[in-house]
């Protein structure tokens, strides 16, 4: 049992990186960006291909970052320059990435068994794989949170945050909202691809299917984080995302352990997210009920 | 300071919904001019302001701000010289950011954004001083999210943001119309105070004839996309609502049709 939990936590730290990426588009830019389904698989594909070609795993992870950023750039250009709605722009890039990822890998999956990964160094120091993943995952997440906390406090970061809140006001302040949207998408998808690269290396394979449903997992993690650990302060919000991603993995591990067939996972996740997203509506629905109870008292 | 030369603007050109919003509009604002702009529903007032601000491109004609032809510049590139306040109090501020963060964004209007810190301590002190002048108690709430403020407070804040970095032209589009009758005069007073303090060149759309007469040194009336009256100086000072209605009738051959203007 403890082993399952530790496994969930370590995997959660990797998905936390992706969750932070989703947060940037979904919460900060106010865009539901489906590019992530393609860019997470792209990160995995680049890392896997690089590693079997004998490249340094850290370098391939860096390449994954660049690849994801390029994917975000494409979606951003489709949306801001060609005026294609954000949702559709993301879908287009996602679909295109399917083919591109197959080309990167040369086949639909790659096994990384017995290959050197970013975790090997820690394993050589005596850690088992799970611990190595957890240590490195936590390091990555913390570094990213600190970097983003700084970034979103800068002039450019403030401009991106304001864009999601009120683009018209942002333009009136002399900021090109096309640029801020593109920048946000680049940043987000870069992180998502890094997450994909780290996940592929931890599970020792990369599969072109890997991204399917990723957006929903990301949203579930964002919402779980906000509901359970949410705070007003920005640093706390970022931390809550990581905790949300870890919690999501623990929940999944538990329901699987309780005997839910793995094939039902996506259904389970979709229902969870639907319920979480409808919370405001449900609350309104039950509000009169609560009020009438109070009146009775 | 601002010149609008032979500007034409039509929406939905070539469709059944074709709508001429501006038809050969010409005007010149001299430095320090405070124009009140009045006219019936759909007269083209907002369109004129939006064309000046670059929200819409014009079909024909040019817009020149302080000797620079800005006709081709996109909205965000004109912002460095323009301060704007919109009718909807929600429009001028970012609701889920703090008061100081909104001010800091406005303080950098027209500047290139860098990786420098978004707000400095020195700026915070400046913002606090400026907010004190509004007398709304906002100076003690620098970190509060703007979404928590009332419509009047948000409009006052937007005004401050629009003038924090002195604009060459201040554009106000019915910025008190959405406020309740007690708040509106207060915000107008703040407006007048900010304009006078920095001698701002201003164009203020209002649907209230009394306000249009009371404020500013020049009154322009629009009708069906054209400027039909331009009254200034002594003549403007002596103007009454009755005069204005009569002159509107003479100039347009119609009754003044702005439900809100007549009621107020
Ligand atoms: N974005 C737009 N798309 C299509 N038509 C528009 C648009 N903006 C304005 N119009 C049309 O242009 C004409 C002028 O509108 P405008 O908003 O400038 O009037 P206004 O003088 O500001 O009126 P009001 O007092 O009602 O605010 C109207 O007929 C309006 O329907
Ligand atoms: Mg209008």
């Amino acid at each position: 049992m403890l082993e399952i939990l530790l496994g969930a936590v370590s995997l959660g730290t990797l998905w936390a990186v992706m969750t932070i990426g989703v947060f940037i588009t979904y919460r900060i830019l106010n865009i539901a960006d489906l590019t992530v389904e393609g860019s997470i698989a792209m990160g995995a594909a680049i890392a896997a291909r690089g590693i079997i070609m004998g490249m340094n795993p850290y370098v391939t992870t860096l390449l994954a970052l660049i690849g994801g950023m390029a994917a975000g750039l494409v979606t951003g250009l489709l949306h801001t320059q060609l005026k294609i709605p954000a949702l559709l722009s993301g879908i287009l890039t996602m679909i295109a990435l399917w083919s591109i990822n197959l080309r990167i890998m040369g086949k639909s999956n790659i096994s990384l068994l017995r290959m050197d990964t970013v975790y090997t160094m820690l394993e050589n120091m005596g850690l088992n794989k799970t611990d190595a993943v957890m240590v490195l995952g936590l390091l990555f997440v913390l570094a990213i949170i600190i970097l983003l906390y700084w970034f979103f406090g800068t002039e450019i970061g403030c401009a991106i945050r304001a864009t999601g809140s009120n683009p018209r006001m942002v333009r009136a302040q002399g900021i090109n909202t096309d640029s801020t949207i593109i920048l946000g998408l680049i940043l987000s998808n870069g992180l998502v691809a890094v997450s994909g690269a780290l996940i592929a290396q931890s599970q020792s394979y990369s599969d072109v299917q890997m991204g399917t449903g990723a957006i929903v997992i990301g949203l579930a993690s964002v919402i779980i984080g906000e509901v359970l650990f949410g705070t007003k302060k920005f640093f706390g919000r970022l931390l809550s995302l990581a905790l949300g991603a870890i919690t999501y993995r623990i929940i999944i591990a538990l329901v699987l352990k309780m005997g839910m067939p793995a094939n039902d996972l996506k259904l389970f996740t979709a229902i969870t997210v639907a319920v979480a997203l409808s919370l405001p509506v449900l609350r309104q629905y039950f509000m009169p009920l609560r009020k009438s109870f109070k009146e009775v008292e | 300071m601002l010149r609008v030369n032979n500007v034409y603007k039509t929406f939905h050109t070539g469709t059944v919904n074709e709508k001429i919003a501006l038809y050969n509009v010409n005007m010149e604002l001299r430095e320090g001019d405070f124009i009140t702009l009045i006219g019936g529903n759909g007269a083209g007032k907002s369109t004129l302001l939006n064309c000046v601000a670059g929200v819409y491109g014009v079909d024909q004609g040019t817009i020149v701000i302080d000797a620079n032809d800005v006709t081709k510049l996109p909205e965000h590139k004109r912002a460095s010289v323009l301060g704007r306040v919109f009718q909807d109090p929600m429009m001028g501020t970012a609701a889920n950011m703090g008061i100081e963060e909104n001010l800091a964004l406005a303080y950098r209007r027209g500047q290139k954004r860098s990786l420098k810190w978004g707000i400095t301590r020195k700026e915070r002190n400046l913002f606090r001083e400026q907010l004190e002048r509004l007398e709304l108690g906002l100076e003690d709430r620098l970190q509060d999210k703007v979404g928590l403020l009332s419509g009047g407070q948000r409009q006052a804040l937007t005004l401050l943001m629009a003038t924090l970095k002195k604009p060459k032209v201040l554009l106000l589009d019915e910025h008190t119309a959405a406020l309740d009758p007690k708040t509106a005069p207060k915000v107008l007073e703040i407006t007048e105070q900010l304009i006078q303090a920095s001698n701002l060149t201003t164009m203020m759309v209002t649907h209230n004839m009394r306000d249009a007469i009371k404020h500013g040194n020049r009154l322009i009336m629009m009708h069906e996309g054209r400027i039909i009256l331009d009254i200034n100086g002594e003549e403007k000072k002596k103007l009454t609502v009755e005069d204005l209605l009569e002159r509107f009738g003479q100039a347009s051959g119609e009754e003044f049709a702005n439900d809100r203007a007549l009621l107020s």
Side-chain angles (χ1 to χ4, degrees):
Chain A
M1 188 68 194
L2 184 67
E3 209 172 296
I4 294 177
L5 279 182
L6 284 179
V9 172
S10 67
L11 191 54
T13 58
L14 306 186
W15 280 90
V17 176
M18 183 267 190
T19 302
I20 293 172
V22 170
F23 169 82
I24 293 174
T25 47
Y26 186 66
R27 281 293 189 232
I28 295 189
L29 282 183
N30 216 354
I31 288 176
D33 175 33
L34 289 183
T35 316
V36 294
E37 304 230 332
S39 49
I40 194 168
M42 187 191 208
I46 292 177
R49 181 64 195 263
I51 287 173
I52 57 168
M53 277 169 43
M55 280 167 77
N56 177 311
Y58 290 96
V59 173
T60 64
T61 306
L62 187 71
L63 288 178
L65 171 73
I66 295 168
M69 290 167 93
L73 173 67
V74 170
T75 302
L77 291 175
L78 289 174
H79 175 46
T80 60
Q81 304 307 304
L82 303 182
K83 310 286 176 212
I84 298 171
L87 194 65
L88 194 52
S89 302
I91 291 176
L92 291 175
T93 313
M94 172 187 90
I95 297 289
L97 281 176
W98 180 277
S99 303
I100 292 172
N101 291 343
L102 277 172
R103 270 183 191 273
I104 292 172
M105 292 201 291
K107 50 188 175 183
S108 62
N109 55 62
I110 292 178
S111 166
L112 295 175
L113 279 177
R114 279 181 291 281
M115 295 280 177
D116 269 4
T117 66
V118 285
Y119 310 108
T120 310
M121 200 163 72
L122 285 169
E123 286 175 275
N124 290 344
M125 286 160 63
L127 293 180
N128 65 26
K129 179 81 178 245
T130 310
D131 290 347
V133 170
M134 200 178 327
V135 169
L136 203 74
L138 282 176
L139 281 178
F140 260 92
V141 170
L142 276 180
I144 289 168
I145 288 178
I146 290 168
L147 265 175
L148 287 185
Y149 180 72
W150 162 77
F151 177 71
F152 282 110
T154 65
E155 291 174 351
I156 294 176
C158 284
I160 294 178
R161 281 192 293 140
T163 303
S165 182
N166 184 349
R168 187 164 166 193
M169 167 267 192
V170 172
R171 283 192 293 275
Q173 306 308 335
I175 297 163
N176 185 347
T177 46
D178 287 353
S179 315
T180 49
I181 290 173
I182 291 175
L183 214 57
L185 284 166
I186 288 178
L187 192 59
S188 162
N189 283 290
L191 289 177
V192 172
V194 167
S195 170
L198 294 177
I199 292 169
Q201 294 176 65
S202 82
Q203 63 195 15
S204 297
Y205 72 87
S206 162
D207 190 311
V208 72
Q209 307 258 15
M210 178 180 164
T212 316
I215 182 74
V216 181
I217 296 175
L219 290 179
S221 307
V222 169
I223 294 166
I224 292 172
E226 286 177 346
V227 171
L228 296 183
F229 311 101
T231 61
K232 285 227 167 67
K233 289 256 176 284
F234 195 66
F235 197 79
R237 281 182 86 182
L238 290 173
L239 268 183
S240 78
L241 296 171
L243 294 175
I246 292 170
T247 310
Y248 172 81
R249 280 295 144 193
I250 293 177
I251 294 173
I252 295 298
L254 289 180
V255 295
L256 285 178
K257 172 90 179 148
M258 277 163 18
M260 195 178 80
N263 285 341
D264 291 345
L265 255 190
K266 294 224 154 88
L267 177 64
F268 174 80
T269 308
I271 293 174
T272 316
V273 173
V275 170
L277 286 178
S278 57
L279 273 182
V281 180
L282 293 179
R283 215 172 272 154
Q284 238 167 35
Y285 187 75
F286 288 115
M287 207 55 124
L289 215 82
R290 238 191 7 223
K291 233 198 228 147
S292 52
F293 274 127
K294 272 201 187 127
E295 273 159 21
V296 171
E297 284 167 17
Chain B
M1 185 54 82
L2 168 69
R3 277 215 330 271
V4 176
N5 302 318
N6 307 87
V7 162
Y8 291 77
K9 176 74 193 172
T10 305
F11 289 105
H12 306 299
T13 313
T15 71
V16 283
N17 293 325
E18 181 166 302
K19 189 79 219 171
I20 298 173
L22 295 178
Y23 190 87
N24 195 16
V25 172
N26 281 286
M27 67 184 222
E28 182 172 1
L29 264 74
R30 285 169 291 271
E31 184 155 7
D33 260 354
F34 178 178
I35 288 189
T36 54
L37 186 59
I38 195 161
N41 301 124
K45 310 178 293 290
S46 299
T47 306
L48 177 58
L49 260 59
N50 281 327
C51 284
V52 170
V55 179
Y56 310 133
V58 302
D59 299 340
Q60 253 187 71
T62 54
I63 289 168
V64 181
I65 301 174
D66 202 19
N68 291 317
D69 186 339
V70 298
T71 318
K72 294 273 179 300
L73 287 187
E75 184 180 1
H76 65 92
K77 289 219 173 119
R78 298 186 200 186
S80 59
V81 291
L82 296 175
R84 284 156 71 197
V85 185
F86 313 99
Q87 175 170 353
D88 181 353
M90 305 298 155
M91 261 355 289
T93 44
N96 54 29
M97 294 175 77
I99 292 178
E100 58 176 19
E101 289 179 315
N102 273 276
L103 284 164
L105 278 168
Y107 194 54
R108 291 164 175 71
R109 181 157 41 76
Q111 241 167 275
K112 220 160 171 48
R113 315 283 155 147
S114 71
L115 289 175
K116 283 200 287 265
W117 211 238
I119 312 177
T120 64
R121 178 162 324 137
K122 214 172 101 202
E123 286 166 6
R124 253 186 210 117
N125 293 332
L126 171 78
F127 298 161
R128 200 170 287 125
E129 269 167 38
Q130 298 284 326
L131 285 167
E132 266 167 25
R133 289 169 50 197
L134 301 182
E135 296 175 10
L136 294 170
L138 296 181
E139 61 275 12
D140 304 319
R141 304 175 57 184
L142 280 180
Q143 313 256 347
D144 278 11
K145 298 268 182 285
V146 170
L148 301 172
L149 304 184
S150 71
Q153 288 172 328
R154 279 181 86 159
Q155 235 24 1
L157 178 63
T158 311
L159 267 168
L160 184 57
M161 287 167 60
T163 54
L164 200 54
K165 242 193 94 194
K166 186 178 174 184
K168 295 219 156 107
V169 181
L170 177 63
L171 302 173
L172 310 170
D173 191 355
E174 300 203 43
H175 68 301
T176 61
L179 304 178
D180 64 69
K182 259 176 59 194
T183 317
K186 170 91 188 147
V187 170
L188 256 182
E189 196 183 300
I190 291 172
T191 310
E192 185 79 49
Q193 189 189 321
L194 288 171
I195 290 173
Q196 278 177 5
S198 323
N199 190 28
L200 296 173
T201 310
T202 307
M203 191 147 60
M204 177 172 93
V205 177
T206 170
H207 61 260
N208 185 314
M209 290 205 171
R210 256 180 283 278
D211 287 341
I213 291 168
K214 185 170 144 205
H215 298 278
N217 64 331
R218 197 170 148 198
L219 183 150
I220 288 183
M221 185 181 265
M222 289 185 70
H223 180 61
E224 294 181 345
R226 298 163 210 247
I227 291 178
I228 55 167
L229 286 177
D230 188 341
I231 305 168
N232 57 36
E234 283 306 308
E235 199 186 354
K236 156 117 187 348
K237 282 190 192 132
K238 283 189 287 204
L239 207 61
T240 64
V241 173
E242 289 72 32
D243 292 342
L244 202 52
L245 282 172
E246 195 189 313
R247 294 197 52 181
F248 173 81
Q250 285 167 0
S252 71
E254 286 174 37
E255 295 246 338
F256 188 79
N258 188 324
D259 34 357
R260 290 169 300 168
L262 294 181
L263 286 174
S264 47

PDB file of all heavy atoms in Angstrom, chain B residues 89-110:
ATOM      1  N   PRO B  89     -18.031  50.204 -16.197  1.00  0.00           N
ATOM      2  CA  PRO B  89     -16.969  50.256 -15.180  1.00  0.00           C
ATOM      3  C   PRO B  89     -16.098  48.989 -15.174  1.00  0.00           C
ATOM      4  O   PRO B  89     -14.960  49.029 -14.720  1.00  0.00           O
ATOM      5  CB  PRO B  89     -17.736  50.376 -13.863  1.00  0.00           C
ATOM      6  CG  PRO B  89     -19.098  50.850 -14.230  1.00  0.00           C
ATOM      7  CD  PRO B  89     -19.374  50.349 -15.607  1.00  0.00           C
ATOM      8  N   MET B  90     -16.646  47.867 -15.678  1.00  0.00           N
ATOM      9  CA  MET B  90     -15.874  46.620 -15.717  1.00  0.00           C
ATOM     10  C   MET B  90     -14.760  46.694 -16.771  1.00  0.00           C
ATOM     11  O   MET B  90     -13.807  45.942 -16.728  1.00  0.00           O
ATOM     12  CB  MET B  90     -16.764  45.422 -16.073  1.00  0.00           C
ATOM     13  CG  MET B  90     -17.970  45.246 -15.186  1.00  0.00           C
ATOM     14  SD  MET B  90     -17.449  44.955 -13.510  1.00  0.00           S
ATOM     15  CE  MET B  90     -18.870  45.538 -12.623  1.00  0.00           C
ATOM     16  N   MET B  91     -14.941  47.563 -17.754  1.00  0.00           N
ATOM     17  CA  MET B  91     -14.069  47.547 -18.932  1.00  0.00           C
ATOM     18  C   MET B  91     -12.673  48.120 -18.694  1.00  0.00           C
ATOM     19  O   MET B  91     -11.737  47.762 -19.376  1.00  0.00           O
ATOM     20  CB  MET B  91     -14.727  48.371 -20.045  1.00  0.00           C
ATOM     21  CG  MET B  91     -15.479  47.663 -21.138  1.00  0.00           C
ATOM     22  SD  MET B  91     -15.505  45.905 -21.221  1.00  0.00           S
ATOM     23  CE  MET B  91     -13.844  45.538 -21.710  1.00  0.00           C
ATOM     24  N   GLY B  92     -12.559  49.031 -17.736  1.00  0.00           N
ATOM     25  CA  GLY B  92     -11.326  49.793 -17.632  1.00  0.00           C
ATOM     26  C   GLY B  92     -10.256  49.207 -16.728  1.00  0.00           C
ATOM     27  O   GLY B  92      -9.136  49.690 -16.678  1.00  0.00           O
ATOM     28  N   THR B  93     -10.622  48.156 -15.994  1.00  0.00           N
ATOM     29  CA  THR B  93      -9.689  47.600 -15.019  1.00  0.00           C
ATOM     30  C   THR B  93      -9.676  46.080 -15.120  1.00  0.00           C
ATOM     31  O   THR B  93     -10.612  45.495 -15.652  1.00  0.00           O
ATOM     32  CB  THR B  93     -10.115  47.971 -13.582  1.00  0.00           C
ATOM     33  OG1 THR B  93     -11.525  47.791 -13.466  1.00  0.00           O
ATOM     34  CG2 THR B  93      -9.773  49.404 -13.248  1.00  0.00           C
ATOM     35  N   ALA B  94      -8.636  45.457 -14.595  1.00  0.00           N
ATOM     36  CA  ALA B  94      -8.569  44.000 -14.549  1.00  0.00           C
ATOM     37  C   ALA B  94      -9.091  43.549 -13.188  1.00  0.00           C
ATOM     38  O   ALA B  94      -8.452  43.776 -12.167  1.00  0.00           O
ATOM     39  CB  ALA B  94      -7.146  43.515 -14.765  1.00  0.00           C
ATOM     40  N   ALA B  95     -10.277  42.919 -13.195  1.00  0.00           N
ATOM     41  CA  ALA B  95     -10.999  42.655 -11.944  1.00  0.00           C
ATOM     42  C   ALA B  95     -10.229  41.766 -10.978  1.00  0.00           C
ATOM     43  O   ALA B  95     -10.244  42.000  -9.776  1.00  0.00           O
ATOM     44  CB  ALA B  95     -12.351  42.029 -12.255  1.00  0.00           C
ATOM     45  N   ASN B  96      -9.533  40.751 -11.487  1.00  0.00           N
ATOM     46  CA  ASN B  96      -8.903  39.856 -10.531  1.00  0.00           C
ATOM     47  C   ASN B  96      -7.448  40.202 -10.232  1.00  0.00           C
ATOM     48  O   ASN B  96      -6.674  39.378  -9.767  1.00  0.00           O
ATOM     49  CB  ASN B  96      -9.085  38.382 -10.930  1.00  0.00           C
ATOM     50  CG  ASN B  96      -8.611  38.125 -12.327  1.00  0.00           C
ATOM     51  OD1 ASN B  96      -7.713  38.811 -12.809  1.00  0.00           O
ATOM     52  ND2 ASN B  96      -9.195  37.143 -12.988  1.00  0.00           N
ATOM     53  N   MET B  97      -7.095  41.454 -10.491  1.00  0.00           N
ATOM     54  CA  MET B  97      -5.781  41.938 -10.051  1.00  0.00           C
ATOM     55  C   MET B  97      -5.990  43.053  -9.025  1.00  0.00           C
ATOM     56  O   MET B  97      -7.050  43.652  -8.951  1.00  0.00           O
ATOM     57  CB  MET B  97      -4.964  42.418 -11.246  1.00  0.00           C
ATOM     58  CG  MET B  97      -4.611  41.265 -12.175  1.00  0.00           C
ATOM     59  SD  MET B  97      -3.771  41.778 -13.669  1.00  0.00           S
ATOM     60  CE  MET B  97      -2.122  42.075 -13.056  1.00  0.00           C
ATOM     61  N   GLY B  98      -4.943  43.309  -8.255  1.00  0.00           N
ATOM     62  CA  GLY B  98      -5.048  44.286  -7.182  1.00  0.00           C
ATOM     63  C   GLY B  98      -5.109  45.718  -7.704  1.00  0.00           C
ATOM     64  O   GLY B  98      -4.788  45.978  -8.860  1.00  0.00           O
ATOM     65  N   ILE B  99      -5.519  46.637  -6.831  1.00  0.00           N
ATOM     66  CA  ILE B  99      -5.580  48.049  -7.199  1.00  0.00           C
ATOM     67  C   ILE B  99      -4.200  48.527  -7.646  1.00  0.00           C
ATOM     68  O   ILE B  99      -4.041  49.160  -8.684  1.00  0.00           O
ATOM     69  CB  ILE B  99      -6.079  48.892  -6.005  1.00  0.00           C
ATOM     70  CG1 ILE B  99      -7.544  48.556  -5.710  1.00  0.00           C
ATOM     71  CG2 ILE B  99      -5.905  50.376  -6.261  1.00  0.00           C
ATOM     72  CD1 ILE B  99      -8.114  49.292  -4.518  1.00  0.00           C
ATOM     73  N   GLU B 100      -3.184  48.178  -6.852  1.00  0.00           N
ATOM     74  CA  GLU B 100      -1.835  48.651  -7.180  1.00  0.00           C
ATOM     75  C   GLU B 100      -1.317  48.018  -8.465  1.00  0.00           C
ATOM     76  O   GLU B 100      -0.606  48.659  -9.236  1.00  0.00           O
ATOM     77  CB  GLU B 100      -0.861  48.389  -6.021  1.00  0.00           C
ATOM     78  CG  GLU B 100      -0.763  46.928  -5.632  1.00  0.00           C
ATOM     79  CD  GLU B 100       0.278  46.674  -4.558  1.00  0.00           C
ATOM     80  OE1 GLU B 100       0.653  47.635  -3.872  1.00  0.00           O
ATOM     81  OE2 GLU B 100       0.705  45.517  -4.417  1.00  0.00           O
ATOM     82  N   GLU B 101      -1.722  46.770  -8.716  1.00  0.00           N
ATOM     83  CA  GLU B 101      -1.267  46.117  -9.953  1.00  0.00           C
ATOM     84  C   GLU B 101      -1.882  46.790 -11.175  1.00  0.00           C
ATOM     85  O   GLU B 101      -1.228  46.969 -12.202  1.00  0.00           O
ATOM     86  CB  GLU B 101      -1.637  44.633  -9.940  1.00  0.00           C
ATOM     87  CG  GLU B 101      -0.812  43.827  -8.962  1.00  0.00           C
ATOM     88  CD  GLU B 101      -1.198  42.356  -8.935  1.00  0.00           C
ATOM     89  OE1 GLU B 101      -2.404  42.040  -8.899  1.00  0.00           O
ATOM     90  OE2 GLU B 101      -0.296  41.517  -8.950  1.00  0.00           O
ATOM     91  N   ASN B 102      -3.158  47.164 -11.056  1.00  0.00           N
ATOM     92  CA  ASN B 102      -3.799  47.887 -12.149  1.00  0.00           C
ATOM     93  C   ASN B 102      -3.116  49.225 -12.387  1.00  0.00           C
ATOM     94  O   ASN B 102      -2.854  49.605 -13.531  1.00  0.00           O
ATOM     95  CB  ASN B 102      -5.285  48.106 -11.832  1.00  0.00           C
ATOM     96  CG  ASN B 102      -6.153  46.940 -12.268  1.00  0.00           C
ATOM     97  OD1 ASN B 102      -6.550  46.859 -13.422  1.00  0.00           O
ATOM     98  ND2 ASN B 102      -6.421  46.033 -11.351  1.00  0.00           N
ATOM     99  N   LEU B 103      -2.824  49.932 -11.309  1.00  0.00           N
ATOM    100  CA  LEU B 103      -2.167  51.231 -11.446  1.00  0.00           C
ATOM    101  C   LEU B 103      -0.777  51.073 -12.064  1.00  0.00           C
ATOM    102  O   LEU B 103      -0.369  51.869 -12.902  1.00  0.00           O
ATOM    103  CB  LEU B 103      -2.084  51.924 -10.084  1.00  0.00           C
ATOM    104  CG  LEU B 103      -3.404  52.533  -9.600  1.00  0.00           C
ATOM    105  CD1 LEU B 103      -3.345  52.837  -8.112  1.00  0.00           C
ATOM    106  CD2 LEU B 103      -3.736  53.800 -10.384  1.00  0.00           C
ATOM    107  N   ALA B 104      -0.094  50.006 -11.654  1.00  0.00           N
ATOM    108  CA  ALA B 104       1.260  49.791 -12.170  1.00  0.00           C
ATOM    109  C   ALA B 104       1.226  49.515 -13.674  1.00  0.00           C
ATOM    110  O   ALA B 104       2.107  49.960 -14.412  1.00  0.00           O
ATOM    111  CB  ALA B 104       1.927  48.631 -11.435  1.00  0.00           C
ATOM    112  N   LEU B 105       0.198  48.781 -14.120  1.00  0.00           N
ATOM    113  CA  LEU B 105       0.055  48.540 -15.557  1.00  0.00           C
ATOM    114  C   LEU B 105      -0.139  49.870 -16.290  1.00  0.00           C
ATOM    115  O   LEU B 105       0.441  50.104 -17.347  1.00  0.00           O
ATOM    116  CB  LEU B 105      -1.157  47.645 -15.826  1.00  0.00           C
ATOM    117  CG  LEU B 105      -0.972  46.142 -15.660  1.00  0.00           C
ATOM    118  CD1 LEU B 105      -2.313  45.436 -15.682  1.00  0.00           C
ATOM    119  CD2 LEU B 105      -0.072  45.592 -16.751  1.00  0.00           C
ATOM    120  N   ALA B 106      -0.976  50.720 -15.695  1.00  0.00           N
ATOM    121  CA  ALA B 106      -1.278  52.005 -16.336  1.00  0.00           C
ATOM    122  C   ALA B 106      -0.073  52.945 -16.294  1.00  0.00           C
ATOM    123  O   ALA B 106       0.146  53.727 -17.212  1.00  0.00           O
ATOM    124  CB  ALA B 106      -2.472  52.659 -15.653  1.00  0.00           C
ATOM    125  N   TYR B 107       0.714  52.830 -15.247  1.00  0.00           N
ATOM    126  CA  TYR B 107       1.879  53.698 -15.080  1.00  0.00           C
ATOM    127  C   TYR B 107       2.916  53.422 -16.159  1.00  0.00           C
ATOM    128  O   TYR B 107       3.749  54.264 -16.469  1.00  0.00           O
ATOM    129  CB  TYR B 107       2.475  53.466 -13.686  1.00  0.00           C
ATOM    130  CG  TYR B 107       3.457  54.518 -13.252  1.00  0.00           C
ATOM    131  CD1 TYR B 107       3.113  55.865 -13.263  1.00  0.00           C
ATOM    132  CD2 TYR B 107       4.730  54.165 -12.811  1.00  0.00           C
ATOM    133  CE1 TYR B 107       4.009  56.833 -12.862  1.00  0.00           C
ATOM    134  CE2 TYR B 107       5.636  55.127 -12.403  1.00  0.00           C
ATOM    135  CZ  TYR B 107       5.267  56.458 -12.434  1.00  0.00           C
ATOM    136  OH  TYR B 107       6.148  57.414 -12.035  1.00  0.00           O
ATOM    137  N   ARG B 108       2.849  52.217 -16.741  1.00  0.00           N
ATOM    138  CA  ARG B 108       3.794  51.841 -17.791  1.00  0.00           C
ATOM    139  C   ARG B 108       3.166  51.957 -19.176  1.00  0.00           C
ATOM    140  O   ARG B 108       3.679  51.397 -20.136  1.00  0.00           O
ATOM    141  CB  ARG B 108       4.273  50.412 -17.562  1.00  0.00           C
ATOM    142  CG  ARG B 108       5.165  50.277 -16.346  1.00  0.00           C
ATOM    143  CD  ARG B 108       5.306  48.836 -15.907  1.00  0.00           C
ATOM    144  NE  ARG B 108       6.252  48.725 -14.807  1.00  0.00           N
ATOM    145  CZ  ARG B 108       6.020  49.160 -13.575  1.00  0.00           C
ATOM    146  NH1 ARG B 108       4.868  49.742 -13.289  1.00  0.00           N
ATOM    147  NH2 ARG B 108       6.933  49.025 -12.621  1.00  0.00           N
ATOM    148  N   ARG B 109       2.067  52.652 -19.262  1.00  0.00           N
ATOM    149  CA  ARG B 109       1.379  52.773 -20.552  1.00  0.00           C
ATOM    150  C   ARG B 109       2.336  53.304 -21.623  1.00  0.00           C
ATOM    151  O   ARG B 109       2.978  54.328 -21.442  1.00  0.00           O
ATOM    152  CB  ARG B 109       0.166  53.704 -20.411  1.00  0.00           C
ATOM    153  CG  ARG B 109      -0.618  53.866 -21.689  1.00  0.00           C
ATOM    154  CD  ARG B 109      -2.056  54.295 -21.445  1.00  0.00           C
ATOM    155  NE  ARG B 109      -2.222  55.302 -20.416  1.00  0.00           N
ATOM    156  CZ  ARG B 109      -1.942  56.589 -20.568  1.00  0.00           C
ATOM    157  NH1 ARG B 109      -1.495  57.018 -21.727  1.00  0.00           N
ATOM    158  NH2 ARG B 109      -2.114  57.432 -19.592  1.00  0.00           N
ATOM    159  N   GLY B 110       2.414  52.546 -22.718  1.00  0.00           N
ATOM    160  CA  GLY B 110       3.257  52.992 -23.821  1.00  0.00           C
ATOM    161  C   GLY B 110       4.728  52.642 -23.664  1.00  0.00           C
ATOM    162  O   GLY B 110       5.516  52.844 -24.568  1.00  0.00           O
TER     163      GLY B 110
END
